[in-house]
Amino acid sequence: MCGLQEFVDAYVNYVFQISVHEWYTAFSSGFLKVCGGKVLELFQPPELRAMMVGSSSYSWEELEETAIYKGDYSATHPTVKLFWETFHEFPLEKKKKFLLFLTGSDRIPIYGMASLQIVIQPTASGEEYLPVAHTCYNLLDLPKYSSKEVLCARLTQALDNYEGFSLA
């Protein structure tokens, strides 16, 4: 029995320490160059994580309330109303997919959803076109759709076929 425990211990040590030592050392060195020193002592681990990767406390209503509209779009425009109706009916994973599509990240900044300041603007293209996201500006080009069904289908198609920056 003792041999088995030794094997398990050696295997765990290899997987979690020895095999990743080179990469962890490089990561740690780079991280500490950027974020090292006394500043690290100011944060608890959850706070540091939030600073590095953003928050996962989603407030979808806040996203809607702080949205900015351009052109003839406003919060009361029929297409915008259809958009938010459709969006709020999406399951969490699809909403996160939309966030990734629009901003390049499925996380929200540490200051919350309001700090995203998404912008929705109309396009001259017809309803057969998909919505287009400009991730650097949190800008959504949203064609004027005639029905919730068409809007949902086009938005879903855009989200399902989104490939990000293709850096993998």
Side-chain angles (χ1 to χ4, degrees), residues 10-27:
Y11 185 75
V12 168
N13 184 46
Y14 175 77
V15 169
F16 290 109
Q17 293 187 31
I18 296 170
S19 69
V20 296
H21 178 74
E22 181 182 344
W23 293 282
Y24 176 78
T25 303
F27 167 78

Side-chain angles (χ1 to χ4, degrees), residues 92-105:
L92 176 62
E93 284 308 310
K94 199 166 187 179
K95 288 176 181 174
K96 288 169 63 175
K97 208 172 189 181
F98 172 78
L99 208 54
L100 180 64
F101 171 72
L102 184 62
T103 68
S105 173

Side-chain angles (χ1 to χ4, degrees), residues 39-55:
V39 73
L40 283 179
E41 296 173 15
L42 299 173
F43 296 100
Q44 293 294 319
E47 296 168 329
L48 184 60
R49 181 176 187 269
M51 288 292 291
M52 300 305 294
V53 299
S55 172

Side-chain angles (χ1 to χ4, degrees), residues 5 16 20 26 30 33 35 47 68 73 80 98 116 122 127 134 143 161:
Q5 186 61 49
F16 290 109
V20 296
K33 279 181 186 174
C35 300
E47 296 168 329
I68 297 169
Y73 275 179
V80 172
F98 172 78
L116 281 178
E127 70 173 15
H134 304 274
N161 292 292

